[in-house]
Every structure is written in C-alpha cells, then in structure tokens.
Amino acid sequence: MGRLLEIEDLRVTLFTRRGDLKAINGLSLGVDRGETLGLVGESGCGKSMTSLAIMGLLPTPPAKIVGGSIKLEGRDLTKLSERKMQAVRGREVGIIFQDPMSSLNPVYTVGFQLAEVIRKHFRVSKAEARKRALSLLERVHIPDAERRLDSFPHELSGGMNQRVVIAMAIACEPKLLIADEPTTALDVTIQAQIVELLKEIQSESGMGMIFITHDLGVIAGVADRVTVMYAGKKVEEAGIDALFSDARHPYTRGLIGATPKPDDERRHRLVEIPGVVPSLADLPEGCAFANRCPLVFDRCKTEYPPLETFENGRKAACFLAEEMEESYVAPVRA
Amino acid sequence: MARSASSQSLDHLYRFARNKGAVLGLIIIVIVFAAAIAAPWLIDRDPLRIVYRPEIWPFTNPKYPLGTDSLGRDILALILFGARTTLMISFAAAFTATILGVIIGAFAAWFGGWLDEVLTRLTELFQTIPNILMIMTVVAVLGQTIGNITFAIGITMWPPIARLTRAEYLALRDREFVLACRSMGMGNIRIMVTEILPNAIPPVIVLGSVIIGSSILFESSISFLGLGDPNVASWGALIGDGRTLIRRSWYICAIPGLAIMFTVLAMNLIGDGLNDALNPRLRDR
C-alpha cells in the first residue's frame, strides 16, 4: 500500500486578463496515514490553492489544474468526474476552513447541519443521524451537547463553532483531513484548544492530516513534517525538529526568525523578512526569493535552484543548502 | 442563552405585530378572505343573476344592503364573489411569478457565464414591455378564463423577483458556508435549494407580497377593460359596468373601488410588516 496522499508535480494556473498566473508551480508532496504534514508559507504562496485543488474545488474559471496528479490511495482525483468527486468530498477527504462563523449555514441548527452531512454519505434514518451528531459533538468536547444540537451558529462562540465545523469534517471518518488555517480566526487561548482537539482526533482515528498555516508557532505543536511553500513552489521540506534546529533554506530561517518564542530568555527583536512576495504575474527567472534573500548571489538571479534531497529525506531548494551552517541566524537589517 | 427555532419565529411574529399598520393590513386581508370563503353560504344563488330593479341605492332595501347595479344584480353578492376571483387570481399569479423569478434568478447567479447573460437579457427584455399591454395580449390570445388571466399576470410580473433573487444569490454564492457545503460533497441543485434559498428568501417574500397587491390591480384593470372572465363576478368588471352611470349612481363604481383600494393597501401594509419581521437590519431607519 502506497502513501495515503501523493501529489506529484501539481501545476495550477490562474488564467486572468493580466496574464497566466502560476499559482502552484510543480508541487509534490505526500502524506501517510496517521501523519500530520504542516504546510507553511505567507499569504498568496499557494497553500489554500493546494487544499482546494485536493478537494477539486478550485474556482474554475480562472483556476485550472494544468499538470500533475493528486493521488488518494493511488486514485487520481484530478481525473475523477464531478459526480465521483462529490462522493470523495466529505467522505474520504474532509476540510476545515479558516472562519468558523461563516463556515456554517446561519439558518440551520448545528444538529441539523451535522445530520445533513451524515445522511449525505450514509443511508441512515433521521433519528440515527441525530444520535451520531450528538456523539460527534461529544467527541469534539462541546459541553451540554444535547442542548447545543438545537443551537444556531450565531448562538455559539467562535471556538464552539470551530468545534462544530471539525465535527462536520470528521462526521464521515475521512481518511484525510485538511485543516486550512483552522486557528487563524480564533483567540490565542482557543487556538491551543483547537490544535489539541485536532491532535487528539487524529491519534484516535489514524487519519492523515494536512495542517495549513502561516504561523510556525502553531505548526511546531502539531506537525510531524513540514513543507514550506514560496510563490507556488516547495522550497523546503523536513521533519519538524530538523526544520526548527537546522533549516536549510534562507526563507525558512527568515520565517523562524519572525516567530516569537515565549520560552526564550533573551528578549531579542523579532526579525522580519524584508520586502514582499513577488507578484505571480512577473516571477523572476531565477529563485523567486532572490529579491528578499540575505544570502543572494549572481547565480540565484538567473537560475532556479533545484529541490535537492539531503539526509533523512529532507529537501531544500537553495544553492547554499548544503553548506549552510547550523549556527547561521538570519541577519538583522539596519 | 440558546434560543430554539420556535422562539426565533416568535421573534418574527413579535416584530411583525409591533408594526400597527401591518396588523391592520392583516385584519383587512383576513376579512376579505373570510368574505371570499363564506360567499356561497351567504348568497345562495349565482351572483351574476339579475335579482331586482336596477340602480337601487345602498342601505335602502334590506334585502340588498349594497343596492343593485345597472342591470339589477345584487352588489353585495358581486363584491363577495368578486373577492374570491380577485384573491384567487392575485395570489396564484404572484405565486407563479415568484416561482418563475426565483428559478430564473437563482440559475443566472449560481451558474453565471453565458446562462447569466441570456437570463439577465431575457429579464430586461420582459421589463421593457409595458405590463398591462403584455397581460392584455396574452389574455386576448389565450382566451378570457381565470386560468389564462392568472398565467398572463404571472409571466408578466416575474422580472423584479428574478433580479432580486439573482442579487441575493450572487451575494450568498461566495460565502464560506457554501464552499463548506461543497466540501461535504453536496451538488449544485442541493446547495441552491436547501442551503442558499432559505437565506435568500426573506426579501423575496416581502417583494412577493407587494406583487400580490399589483396583481390585484392588474386583474381589476383587465376586468374593467372587459377582458376578464365573463362567467365570474369581479370587482374590476363591476366598475367597468357602472362607469356609464357614474354621474347618477356613482356608488356602483365606488363600492368595488373601495374594496380594491383597501385590499391593495392591506397587502402593501403586510409587505411593510414582513419587511420589519424578516429584515431586522433595515427596521430602525
């Protein structure tokens, strides 16, 4: 049995009036059963496009998969008909979106919405669906679940709603769960609870999970492996510990430098990455990070560094990856 | 505190009841409905039958409290049975228009592209045709029956409903819960009908109630012009028949005129009340 999810050389292009934008440009990644892959990057780097591509929910037009494959247990999702894809969505792959308040239909009770998903994929009676909905609410630790079944989304807090959204996503016990910035819209205190809940559910069910975030602090607590994306490409992939102790790509090091560390005694300044992500409309010929990289040299501007594999299966797309010192810290710009 | 579904509809009821005009409108409509339903028990004969001398003034003969018209027909009977015709045609026509408009508007917004282009142009085309001309033409071509009049008004009145529905669907289409529904494996029609429609329908219901009012006016106009169903009593037809006697026996026109006026006014008041009840954000203007 191969990997649970295997994305190979995925290419998604946005066909717009301003030209063809390569939103995802040759992305490959894999997720095993029971594993959590962190997907990290700044806004606009293609994280959410990747999750929508897996779900077959890319906004078409303008977005279109122009190459590559997305294989779930060996079956290429990009080649499935819309009808077959509907049976995959929710049943085999579940997704949690960023804003729980707008992810639920305001006119229905949460119990109704949960039962709806269950009845969409399983042939069960209304009473049985309600029973399952109740146990799902208990599983995501919603207090007083019996009464909450009949609550409307606007009567619950953001954290509660996100628990409901998680319950809906796992209602049909999917093999893969995509969490697309599930904590971004929540209070910091709630964030930790939601992350704990996701970890707990995953270890119980053994499903694979893709955890998308721009917050490295969050990823440290959940992911087994991390893929760092930049401008539609994977720039680094490593186990969670290796990534934090010994990042091989200057962009990753920049991200780590820009993340606050509460347990750090020295109160040093956070280091920002200067500049902005280049527009997809005019990506440079060479490395997309070249214009912001503190270690840039001539070759970076004409040639894209290939993604090379190093020890322990870690990968990085930088000419300097091999020689980068462990002690290297992103320099502070004056 | 969590509120249940029933307390939410109680909320709507409360907001509706706070609008005094709306309650008055509702009372008038209930009376008209009661008259329409009770007509066959109150008057045990064909309302179009000539019963007495023509032009008896109201309140002069206790047997015919509202008098008789130019032909000697009982005006009270005509008003009561006319209420049946008017309510039947206007509600059925508004219902037809709403169904048509919602389907056209929803498909245009949801699928977009060339379908939206075609449906929007079709809507605009219909809006350029004067309503009364369109209704007259359809009735003249199909024949003067209640069913045809209803159909004619229905296919004339849908464009505003379609435009409103399209706007609502466009706004709701890009909401995250719709994406979430798709990610659960729901199909287009399922999402359009069970997920978006309940969110889009409140303003459509409000507009629908106003369209019932306009349908009453159109039905009366058609009957006034002699294009109504000749086999049923109608307020508009009564005005049309009495129009030549307006100097001598003006009550023949005035009584059905008042009936039309109060019913349309009541429908509009109810529309206001529904707006308060269903669109609370607009309430405190």
Side-chain angles (χ1 to χ4, degrees), chain A residues 5 8 42 69 74 82 85 128 199 213 236 273 283:
Chain A
L5 180 80
E8 257 171 75
E42 283 167 278
S69 62
E82 170 63 20
M85 205 54 216
E128 170 66 17
K199 275 165 72 178
T213 181
E236 177 153 14
I273 306 176
L283 283 177

Side-chain angles (χ1 to χ4, degrees), chain B residues 16-281:
Chain B
F16 183 87
R18 241 180 31 170
N19 184 329
K20 297 285 180 295
V23 175
L24 179 69
L26 192 63
I27 291 170
I28 295 174
I29 286 295
V30 167
I31 292 171
V32 177
F33 257 97
I37 292 166
W41 285 281
L42 296 174
I43 312 283
D44 191 19
R45 58 170 183 271
D46 183 353
L48 296 178
R49 228 178 69 192
I50 293 166
V51 292
Y52 200 59
R53 274 188 294 119
E55 292 181 65
I56 306 270
W57 277 73
F59 315 119
T60 52
N61 184 330
K63 248 186 115 182
Y64 309 109
L66 293 180
T68 58
D69 74 347
S70 54
L71 295 171
R73 296 177 300 188
D74 181 1
I75 291 183
L76 179 67
L78 288 169
I79 292 291
L80 292 178
F81 278 88
R84 279 172 100 84
T85 316
T86 297
L87 289 182
M88 201 149 56
I89 292 181
S90 60
F91 274 78
F95 185 72
T96 311
T98 306
I99 297 287
L100 255 175
V102 165
I103 292 174
I104 290 171
F107 270 79
W110 181 259
F111 291 104
W114 65 268
L115 188 66
D116 186 21
E117 203 69 33
V118 170
L119 292 177
T120 306
R121 292 295 159 269
L122 185 72
T123 311
E124 283 165 359
L125 182 72
F126 266 78
Q127 282 198 304
T128 59
I129 306 170
N131 288 343
I132 191 75
L133 276 185
M134 169 95 179
I135 296 169
M136 281 168 62
T137 311
V138 174
V139 173
V141 169
L142 295 181
Q144 293 167 239
T145 66
I146 290 188
N148 290 342
I149 296 168
T150 307
F151 173 75
I153 299 177
I155 63 159
T156 305
M157 305 290 277
W158 62 266
I161 297 269
R163 294 181 63 147
L164 179 67
T165 309
R166 178 174 173 274
E168 289 289 318
Y169 267 71
L170 276 181
L172 289 161
R173 189 185 62 175
D174 297 327
R175 291 271 293 274
E176 210 161 48
F177 78 83
V178 174
L179 187 62
C181 287
R182 295 185 64 197
S183 79
M184 315 279 177
M186 292 185 198
N188 284 324
I189 301 293
R190 171 88 184 262
I191 295 176
M192 281 170 75
V193 177
T194 67
E195 301 294 329
I196 302 187
L197 189 60
N199 284 286
I201 207 70
V204 175
I205 290 175
V206 174
L207 184 58
S209 68
V210 175
I211 284 188
I212 293 174
S214 331
S215 299
I216 295 173
L217 290 178
F218 280 123
E219 187 272 327
S220 303
S221 314
I222 284 290
S223 303
F224 174 84
L225 294 169
L227 279 167
D229 190 331
N231 302 313
V232 295
S234 159
W235 295 345
L238 187 52
I239 300 179
D241 291 341
R243 137 187 87 96
T244 48
L245 301 173
I246 193 134
R247 283 162 190 260
R248 207 168 61 220
S249 304
W250 52 265
Y251 65 90
I252 300 174
C253 293
I255 293 170
L258 284 173
I260 293 169
M261 195 189 89
F262 277 113
T263 314
V264 174
L265 178 72
M267 268 334 293
N268 288 343
L269 288 173
I270 289 176
D272 279 351
L274 286 174
N275 199 31
D276 286 358
L278 301 174
N279 297 338
R281 272 160 299 164

Side-chain angles (χ1 to χ4, degrees), chain A:
Chain A
M1 210 153 62
R3 307 190 89 169
L4 175 61
L5 180 80
E6 185 88 66
I7 298 180
E8 257 171 75
D9 196 30
L10 181 68
R11 288 167 195 278
V12 174
T13 302
L14 301 170
F15 296 95
T16 69
R17 274 182 211 154
R18 288 186 300 142
D20 301 347
L21 312 180
K22 291 175 176 168
I24 302 175
N25 195 358
L27 178 75
S28 299
L29 54 84
V31 183
D32 288 321
R33 291 165 190 82
E35 181 194 44
T36 300
L37 175 75
L39 199 53
V40 185
E42 283 167 278
S43 309
C45 71
K47 292 171 302 186
S48 290
M49 276 289 167
T50 307
S51 64
L52 290 178
I54 297 169
M55 298 301 291
L57 290 176
L58 283 172
T60 314
K64 197 168 183 293
I65 295 179
V66 292
S69 62
I70 301 169
K71 286 189 176 136
L72 185 73
E73 295 189 314
R75 192 162 48 137
D76 191 346
L77 300 183
T78 62
K79 294 198 168 55
L80 288 187
S81 66
E82 170 63 20
R83 196 169 191 83
K84 286 193 172 147
M85 205 54 216
Q86 280 178 16
V88 171
R89 287 183 207 132
R91 180 70 186 85
E92 293 179 56
V93 187
I95 187 164
I96 302 163
F97 292 106
Q98 181 172 337
D99 186 357
M101 298 312 259
S102 58
S103 298
L104 294 167
N105 192 334
V107 300
Y108 293 126
T109 63
V110 300
F112 180 89
Q113 296 186 54
L114 269 165
E116 206 178 16
V117 186
I118 295 164
R119 280 165 62 81
K120 163 86 190 133
H121 292 286
F122 299 114
R123 289 179 172 277
V124 295
S125 69
K126 278 193 171 156
E128 170 66 17
R130 194 180 154 89
K131 231 166 74 191
R132 288 200 197 177
L134 179 64
S135 72
L136 278 165
L137 286 191
E138 281 163 356
R139 190 161 168 211
V140 295
H141 306 307
I142 287 186
D144 206 2
E146 180 91 55
R147 206 161 57 94
R148 291 297 176 205
L149 272 182
D150 297 316
S151 296
F152 286 91
H154 67 265
E155 295 164 351
L156 302 179
S157 66
M160 281 292 180
N161 272 323
Q162 192 62 306
R163 285 174 191 270
V164 173
V165 170
I166 292 171
M168 283 174 84
I170 62 166
C172 301
E173 284 158 14
K175 296 162 185 157
L176 177 70
L177 181 67
I178 303 172
D180 192 348
E181 309 222 11
T183 59
T184 309
L186 303 173
D187 287 346
V188 187
T189 47
I190 310 293
Q191 282 185 12
Q193 292 174 14
I194 293 296
V195 168
E196 277 312 307
L197 176 66
L198 284 171
K199 275 165 72 178
E200 176 193 320
I201 287 168
Q202 191 203 20
S203 66
E204 281 169 16
S205 65
M207 63 188 173
M209 179 154 83
I210 299 179
F211 196 102
I212 299 175
T213 181
H214 59 257
D215 187 345
L216 273 177
V218 172
I219 214 87
V222 274
D224 303 308
R225 257 175 336 111
V226 179
T227 287
V228 181
M229 283 184 77
Y230 190 79
K233 285 193 176 209
K234 173 155 79 178
V235 294
E236 177 153 14
E237 179 181 333
I240 187 73
D241 297 326
L243 188 88
F244 277 95
S245 64
D246 175 27
R248 294 293 173 92
H249 196 283
Y251 176 60
T252 316
R253 295 207 167 187
L255 281 181
I256 294 169
T259 308
K261 299 168 198 64
D263 47 351
D264 197 336
E265 292 295 317
R266 295 162 295 158
R267 298 173 60 92
H268 63 246
R269 266 188 62 192
L270 287 180
V271 187
E272 59 173 322
I273 306 176
V276 290
V277 187
S279 154
L280 290 173
D282 56 349
L283 283 177
E285 206 180 313
C287 177
F289 189 58
N291 64 332
R292 306 169 73 185
C293 184
L295 304 173
V296 64
F297 61 107
D298 287 349
R299 198 177 165 200
C300 304
K301 291 181 175 159
T302 54
E303 200 183 321
Y304 194 91
L307 190 69
E308 293 204 53
T309 307
F310 301 96
E311 75 282 356
N312 301 330
R314 61 180 307 172
K315 298 180 174 124
C318 180
F319 294 123
L320 299 173
E322 210 159 354
E323 54 226 67
M324 214 177 278
E325 293 291 322
E326 281 200 24
S327 59
Y328 168 80
V329 180
V332 187
R333 290 240 170 156

